[in-house]
Amino acid sequence: MFDLTGKTALVTGASGGIGAAIARTLHQAGATVALSGTKVEALEALAAELGDRAVVVPANLSDPEAVEALAKDAEAKLGHVDILVNNAGLTRDGLILRMKDEDWASVIDVNLTAAFRLSRALVKGMMKRRWGRIIGITSIVGVTGNPGQVNYAASKAGMIGMTKALAAEVASRNITANCVAPGFIATAMTDVLPDAQKEKLTAGVPAGRLGTPDEIASAVLYLASTEAGYVTGQTLHVNGGMAMI
Amino acid sequence: MSDIAERVKKIVVEHLGVEEGKVTDTASFIDDLGADSLDTVELVMAFEEEFGIEIPDDAAEKILTVKDAIDFISSKQG
């Protein structure tokens, strides 16, 4: 089950906690992975850890030309791209009254527009080969909202809508498009929080704990698999029951 | 029939799975040959590959019939 031998995958934001877990999981399932991100050293360390079937394709997704170049770079290094995981994302939090235009624009550019551009560039090859998987890492916040994150919530809700439209366009070509929506996940970012704050975070989670990056990666692996071929346009929520939607 | 016309028609037959006899010069991809909008995008991609040319989006939008495709490609290869 869930064997990706012979498949290729491009993972953006692969130097982050969740992105690295996704790359490791897809690699472990047999895929050849291209690791993208801005932290070249971290990407190279991950590629070295994975060994064979891993290449590094650095890119700054806030630059439109760099996004187009990334698609070409990944196709050149992998031969073609079967699985695209749009995982890269950033936050620029602040209450709407204080939010600057550039905080809005930078979050939309990287989280949503880069995902659109990469999907557009890579879906062409998937159509030709009659097989493809486009997976967006969205967020629970894109569905529930969260104070201080109008930009981030809009980008993540946008990704869900984009994915549904894309799924409808390419379903007949054996290409699926889906999202995974993490809740609170333990990463380097949450590790440093004081225990009291962690307790507060988990109080609203029926599972009583934070999720792990591997639990997000497992959901991505399922959606990337051939077995999930009839699942498209969906958002798989991985949040310990924090929001049941 | 010119070589270009022959190759264009072969691609259309293969891609849309229609009978050769139906692929006349005046046949419209969508109205006569049952193509959907995604098929027309794929046909343009197949033409680009077969003839080693680039068909810009504004030109692609005007390729509605078999003849439109033959004419455009002929003008590029002239």
Side-chain angles (χ1 to χ4, degrees):
Chain A
M1 276 256 265
F2 308 156
D3 181 10
L4 298 181
T5 305
K7 300 284 189 220
T8 58
L10 168 61
V11 181
T12 67
S15 56
I18 291 176
I22 292 168
R24 281 193 192 98
T25 299
L26 298 182
H27 184 267
Q28 199 177 8
T32 300
V33 293
L35 313 169
S36 189
T38 50
K39 296 172 194 145
V40 180
E41 273 180 30
L43 295 174
E44 276 171 357
L46 179 58
E49 174 202 317
L50 297 177
D52 288 348
R53 294 185 287 110
V55 298
V56 172
V57 285
N60 175 4
L61 297 183
S62 55
D63 171 3
E65 281 174 22
V67 179
E68 301 294 335
L70 168 60
K72 290 204 172 80
D73 194 15
E75 284 187 322
K77 286 186 174 146
L78 297 175
H80 62 266
V81 177
D82 294 310
I83 301 160
L84 166 64
V85 184
N86 284 311
N87 166 72
L90 52 84
T91 55
R92 291 281 183 274
D93 295 355
L95 296 175
I96 192 166
L97 290 166
R98 299 231 167 82
M99 187 168 288
K100 295 187 178 70
D101 280 1
E102 54 260 39
D103 294 332
W104 171 269
S106 65
V107 168
I108 298 291
D109 279 355
V110 171
N111 298 11
L112 182 58
T113 310
F116 154 70
R117 290 195 177 113
L118 272 182
S119 303
R120 179 179 60 187
L122 294 174
V123 76
K124 203 170 174 179
M126 294 177 187
M127 277 168 60
K128 276 191 193 159
R129 287 186 310 282
R130 294 289 192 266
W131 200 94
R133 297 285 184 266
I134 297 172
I135 300 163
I137 307 304
T138 173
S139 166
I140 179 63
V141 162
V143 179
T144 61
N146 195 31
Q149 294 197 308
V150 290
N151 49 2
Y152 187 75
S155 74
K156 295 302 186 179
M159 180 176 251
I160 292 173
M162 176 179 79
T163 298
K164 289 177 181 178
L166 172 58
E169 284 187 24
V170 296
S172 64
R173 269 42 174 189
N174 206 21
I175 300 165
T176 69
N178 291 287
C179 288
V180 172
F184 288 132
I185 304 301
T187 60
M189 210 160 63
T190 50
D191 276 351
V192 297
L193 296 174
D195 283 349
Q197 206 171 336
K198 275 191 207 164
E199 269 170 42
K200 216 171 149 191
L201 275 181
T202 51
V205 182
R209 63 173 177 85
L210 301 181
T212 66
D214 283 344
E215 287 170 325
I216 302 306
S218 301
V220 172
L221 171 60
Y222 167 64
L223 293 173
S225 71
T226 297
E227 285 84 348
Y230 201 53
V231 178
T232 195
Q234 303 301 311
T235 297
L236 179 48
H237 289 270
V238 183
N239 61 27
M242 182 183 146
M244 304 191 191
I245 30 192
Chain B
M1 192 160 61
S2 75
D3 172 52
I4 288 175
E6 211 167 300
R7 283 156 73 193
V8 164
K9 287 181 181 177
K10 187 161 174 276
I11 287 171
V12 174
V13 167
E14 278 171 9
H15 190 87
L16 299 179
V18 290
E19 284 170 35
E20 219 177 314
K22 282 192 171 176
V23 187
T24 60
D25 280 359
T26 53
S28 151
F29 296 123
I30 290 176
D31 296 333
D32 301 319
L33 302 176
D36 63 19
S37 57
L38 200 55
D39 286 320
T40 61
V41 174
E42 285 187 329
L43 277 174
V44 167
M45 279 160 51
F47 295 147
E48 288 179 327
E49 204 162 297
E50 170 76 19
F51 296 97
I53 55 171
E54 246 184 67
I55 305 179
D57 289 344
D58 54 344
E61 278 169 22
K62 290 182 194 128
I63 299 179
L64 304 175
T65 66
V66 175
K67 188 172 181 300
D68 291 340
I70 295 169
D71 289 349
F72 181 83
I73 295 161
S74 303
S75 75
K76 281 279 167 181
Q77 298 221 315

